[in-house]
Amino acid sequence: TANNGADLFIGSGGLDLNAGKITLNDQGSTTTLTLLGNGTQQLRGSGEVIFGGTSSAGTVSSSAAGSTLDIAAGILIHGTRHGTVGAVALGLANHGTIKADASGMTITVTGTNWTNDGTLWANTGTLTTAGSWSSSGASDLIQVDATGTLNLGGTFASSAITGNVVRTGGTVNLVNTWSLGGGTYDLGAA
């Protein structure tokens, strides 16, 4: 657990969670999990990163110019507070699950040319995409549940979202202009 306003720095190369949990416990100041170093910085194995506490927001990102945060398939990032996954000017590769599962809370996923071939899930909270991104591959999923909200933001093309979009209701907001190039795109039935 990293408590109020703490910065949990992980050295170059990444972190193996091995079924562990890291809780970013905010009590008024942003608490961060930062993976240091150049190149790809990995959250490996299986486990959870939890945005917790009673106020403010948590952040999970890499830090060095040109670095990429690589989230393994067995990692779940979620929580009871607001949070940000990634950093505006840095890379992100999500193979795991980023789940907005707290009502009234928002998890923002951002980066430069970031990719998703895992799961982006607006469960009972709000999931917002930002930066430049794409979601494609055989295993990618963008899911919006009955009480979830997905804010499609950032820069992306309809061809950049080639995978599975599943909606069992909820709300999808288009935050930026989306050029379909004269075509159509199915965001799933509400």
Side-chain angles (χ1 to χ4, degrees):
T1 299
N3 286 315
N4 188 38
D7 295 311
L8 178 58
F9 294 115
I10 304 300
S12 183
L15 175 66
D16 290 302
L17 284 181
N18 295 325
K21 293 182 183 181
I22 295 174
T23 301
L24 303 176
N25 194 18
D26 298 314
Q27 306 297 325
S29 297
T30 298
T31 304
T32 65
L33 169 60
T34 305
L35 283 77
L36 304 172
N38 297 316
T40 299
Q41 302 303 311
Q42 298 177 321
L43 276 175
R44 295 181 293 267
S46 63
E48 298 176 58
V49 176
I50 302 165
F51 297 119
T54 59
S55 61
S56 293
T59 301
V60 178
S61 71
S62 59
S63 68
S67 65
T68 297
L69 173 62
D70 189 278
I71 301 167
I75 303 296
L76 169 62
I77 299 177
H78 68 120
T80 59
R81 298 302 309 155
H82 299 288
T84 300
V85 179
V88 173
L90 301 176
L92 172 68
N94 178 51
H95 313 287
T97 299
I98 301 172
K99 182 179 181 184
D101 57 357
S103 180
M105 300 295 141
T106 300
I107 294 179
T108 300
V109 185
T110 190
T112 298
N113 297 322
W114 65 271
T115 60
N116 174 61
D117 66 4
T119 300
L120 301 176
W121 188 354
N123 176 245
T124 55
T126 299
L127 189 119
T128 298
T129 60
S132 53
W133 64 281
S134 64
S135 182
S136 60
S139 62
D140 78 309
L141 175 66
I142 299 174
Q143 181 171 334
V144 183
D145 289 345
T147 58
T149 298
L150 173 64
N151 291 326
L152 281 173
T155 304
F156 59 96
S158 57
S159 61
I161 305 176
T162 60
N164 304 308
V165 177
V166 175
R167 282 182 70 197
T168 57
T171 302
V172 176
N173 296 312
L174 186 58
V175 178
N176 289 353
T177 302
W178 188 8
S179 174
L180 295 174
T184 62
Y185 194 85
D186 183 2
L187 289 173

